[in-house]
Amino acid sequence: MSNAALADELVNRITWKIPNALALVGSRSGEERNAMTTSWITQLSMEPVLIGVSVENTAVTHRLISDGGSFTVNLWDAENTRPFVKFSKPAAYEPASHDTASDAEGSATGTLNGWSVYEAATGAPVFVDAAAWMDCEVRHSVDLGTHTLFMGELVAAAINNDEVRLASMSDTRMKYGGVKRH
């Protein structure tokens, strides 16, 4: 059976059943920062440890990862899925005031859409409230059509709350994948 024989509705329904983590991918180029909700995340290699994220070619995050050469993956408590809705469109960055700004890990250097962020090894935004995070330097990228797979080497990471179940797409009413909607 060829792909042309598959109905769009079936392709959507079956691909939406793939279990996917849900996370915020942070990106930065120069002084421009963004975060984006994504569910297309996976580990790709053990030596080196490579994390893959697939990002739509027209997204602000795609441009920032391409230009900045890094990204973060911020994992969240399944009981707190509110941030995912806030990051379905490009984010607004507000630097912290000089009185409170700090480069120390865990100290906010600003906010994205009102959520506190700081910089780890690469300078891409890490969310203070993330249950766990990974900071990655891009080693490879492959244009796959509508999306580019960015493969980043893990250079920094932390678990802020090891007791929670991490969010997945099934914790929300969100759907992403299948065929391109026109």
Side-chain angles (χ1 to χ4, degrees):
M1 178 184 284
S2 72
N3 284 346
L6 291 174
D8 288 355
E9 180 184 354
L10 173 60
V11 172
N12 287 345
R13 287 181 56 217
I14 194 71
T15 58
W16 292 345
K17 292 185 180 298
I18 298 170
N20 286 322
L22 196 56
L24 295 179
V25 169
S27 56
R28 176 180 181 181
S29 177
E31 293 307 309
E32 187 178 3
R33 295 163 178 84
N34 195 48
M36 176 188 91
T37 298
T38 191
S39 61
W40 292 3
I41 311 158
T42 194
Q43 182 173 348
L44 300 168
S45 174
M46 291 179 169
E47 290 182 16
V49 175
L50 293 177
I51 304 299
V53 295
S54 190
V55 178
E56 191 168 8
N57 292 341
T58 59
V60 168
T61 294
H62 182 282
R63 178 175 53 79
L64 296 180
I65 293 174
S66 295
D67 294 348
S70 65
F71 60 88
T72 61
V73 176
N74 298 268
L75 303 169
W76 290 82
D77 180 345
E79 298 298 319
N80 182 15
T81 59
R82 292 169 302 172
F84 299 123
V85 175
K86 284 193 162 251
F87 290 94
S88 59
K89 301 282 183 212
Y93 177 74
E94 289 290 329
S97 69
H98 293 296
D99 297 337
T100 59
S102 170
D103 288 332
E105 190 171 303
S107 297
T109 56
T111 61
L112 280 167
N113 288 355
W115 292 86
S116 295
V117 294
Y118 63 95
E119 299 165 10
T122 68
V126 172
F127 285 83
V128 171
D129 292 329
W133 58 268
M134 297 172 273
D135 193 7
C136 302
E137 290 181 353
V138 174
R139 297 294 183 240
H140 310 281
S141 64
V142 178
D143 184 336
L144 300 173
T146 58
H147 288 66
T148 295
L149 176 62
F150 292 101
M151 296 160 261
E153 184 173 350
L154 187 65
V155 296
I159 298 171
N160 297 327
N161 188 341
D162 209 11
E163 304 302 314
V164 298
R165 183 177 64 81
L166 297 176
S168 67
M169 191 66 104
S170 61
D171 293 315
T172 71
R173 289 193 236 163
M174 300 170 84
K175 304 272 189 259
Y176 192 77
V179 298
K180 188 171 181 167
R181 290 161 200 69
H182 300 282

